[in-house]
Amino acid sequence: MIFRTRFAPSPTGLLHLGHAFSALTAYEMARAAHGTFLLRMDDIDRVRSKPEYEVQAKQDLHWLGVRWPEPVMQQSRSEPRFRAALDELAALGLLYPCSCSRADIDAAAGAPQEGVPTHGPDGRIYPGTCRHRSMESYLEGDAVRLDMAKAIVAAGPLPQFTETGAAFEGRHTLQAEDLLTTVGDVAVARRGMAAAYHLCVVVDDHAQDITHVIRGEDLFDATRIHVLLAHLLRLPVPEYHHHRLIRDAAGKRLAKRDDARAIRLFRDQGATPEDIRAMVGLPSS
Ligand code: GLU
């Protein structure tokens, strides 16, 4: 079996213990499968991505013992691929431009109703204000959304995916009702950006021939969007492994702003790579 995986941090901050665990998990799963581990820099957000974070991320990963072939793919260089994917979805009639700000969306969404989810893997579930618009009315600065109801029809029989992580292990089939109510019309391009995260990840994973996506459990819900997009773009659906999350003492998932748990800081304080492994519950190497 071919096994190609990747670790794809966004260079918008220092890598923390959660990244260390994710990168080491992917790297060691690839090694165990005699496969390939790639590094990718998900730097599509040009405002928040900084070259110094990229340099630091590579140093930290190397220090942890992670190795990858060069060159490292830069997501920001994939813009022509993203445009081609957007054109393909637009040709299927599945996209519309959206000028709503976050405040517009909150206002249009109104008061929450009991039992109706308000947020999904793409944030606030979009209330559909701009859904009547066609791509011909696209204006500079608009976002672009996937019309989920149309996408479900275009998809035909909904695709399946395999998950090997402990929490959601098994074969999953996308469900139309679930996509409509808990995901909705996700953004595939954001204001001022060539494409949005969900589309970028699908297109770049395909460009890198990724067969196994290994990442944190917090992204399991987003996987349904990725599987749907891959299916609509007629790309192979990879196998998924969503691993446990590294949490702080209060049980909260670590975020980039948790600099107190940055690998760089532990290194400065004299920690060894083995210490980091122990902190995230990995056996010594
Ligand atoms: N670039 C994404 C992040 O930093 C991870 C890529 C993925 O979704 O697998 O959260």
Side-chain angles (χ1 to χ4, degrees):
M1 183 190 49
I2 298 174
F3 193 111
R4 263 171 91 83
T5 192
R6 50 39 169 202
F7 176 62
S10 307
T12 55
L14 294 171
L15 298 191
H16 55 58
L17 291 182
H19 294 107
F21 179 67
S22 198
L24 287 166
T25 300
Y27 181 62
E28 286 167 14
M29 281 178 73
R31 272 223 312 228
H34 304 288
T36 306
F37 169 91
L38 302 174
L39 179 65
R40 183 174 75 225
M41 284 294 156
D42 279 358
D43 59 348
I44 190 71
D45 185 340
R46 294 201 176 179
V47 178
R48 290 171 58 229
S49 297
K50 303 273 180 262
E52 55 270 32
Y53 287 134
E54 201 178 307
V55 171
Q56 187 65 56
K58 287 180 184 166
Q59 279 179 11
D60 288 344
L61 292 169
H62 203 266
W63 176 81
L64 282 168
V66 177
R67 300 289 180 269
W68 57 87
E70 295 287 344
V72 168
M73 184 190 259
Q74 306 279 139
Q75 190 156 68
S76 54
R77 303 249 171 92
S78 297
E79 288 189 9
R81 268 196 287 269
F82 300 148
R83 268 198 294 277
L86 286 168
D87 286 349
E88 205 173 321
L89 295 173
L92 292 170
L94 307 182
L95 304 186
Y96 63 86
C98 172
S99 57
C100 294
S101 65
R102 218 172 271 245
D104 294 336
I105 296 174
D106 286 346
Q113 289 169 41
E114 217 182 297
V116 180
T118 55
H119 286 73
D122 197 44
R124 168 75 89 169
I125 296 168
Y126 185 63
T129 318
C130 290
R131 197 179 289 136
H132 63 280
R133 291 179 58 190
S134 71
M135 282 308 282
E136 282 75 55
S137 72
Y138 177 86
L139 294 171
E140 188 74 37
D142 280 346
V144 177
R145 291 184 179 275
L146 180 75
D147 184 321
M148 189 55 83
K150 287 186 182 164
I152 288 167
V153 174
L158 287 171
Q160 302 191 324
F161 66 97
T162 299
E163 165 67 32
T164 60
F168 307 99
E169 190 170 0
R171 186 92 180 136
H172 299 262
T173 306
L174 301 192
Q175 305 292 337
E177 191 54 29
D178 178 55
L179 289 169
L180 286 169
T181 57
T182 70
V183 178
D185 294 358
V186 292
V188 286
R190 292 202 183 276
R191 194 182 298 247
M193 264 158 70
Y197 158 71
H198 301 297
L199 187 81
C200 297
V201 109
V202 168
V203 169
D204 273 351
D205 281 343
H206 175 63
Q208 291 192 297
D209 288 324
I210 297 302
T211 59
H212 292 73
V213 171
I214 300 165
R215 56 188 182 188
E217 273 167 16
D218 53 329
L219 287 167
F220 182 76
D221 276 343
T223 294
R224 289 173 296 161
I225 304 172
H226 304 167
V227 170
L228 179 67
L229 287 172
H231 178 74
L232 291 168
L233 293 165
R234 289 166 296 151
L235 305 176
V237 173
E239 194 169 301
Y240 288 87
H241 181 96
H242 291 85
H243 57 66
R244 67 181 166 86
L245 298 178
I246 305 298
R247 300 180 184 275
D248 65 13
K252 223 172 85 326
R253 175 174 76 87
L254 300 185
K256 284 264 168 55
R257 58 190 170 279
D258 287 315
D259 273 358
R261 286 173 187 76
I263 301 168
R264 174 74 259 173
L265 231 84
F266 289 113
R267 288 179 64 184
D268 289 347
Q269 291 163 3
T272 64
E274 289 299 326
D275 293 334
I276 303 287
R277 294 183 70 90
M279 284 179 212
V280 299
L282 281 172
S284 61
S285 59

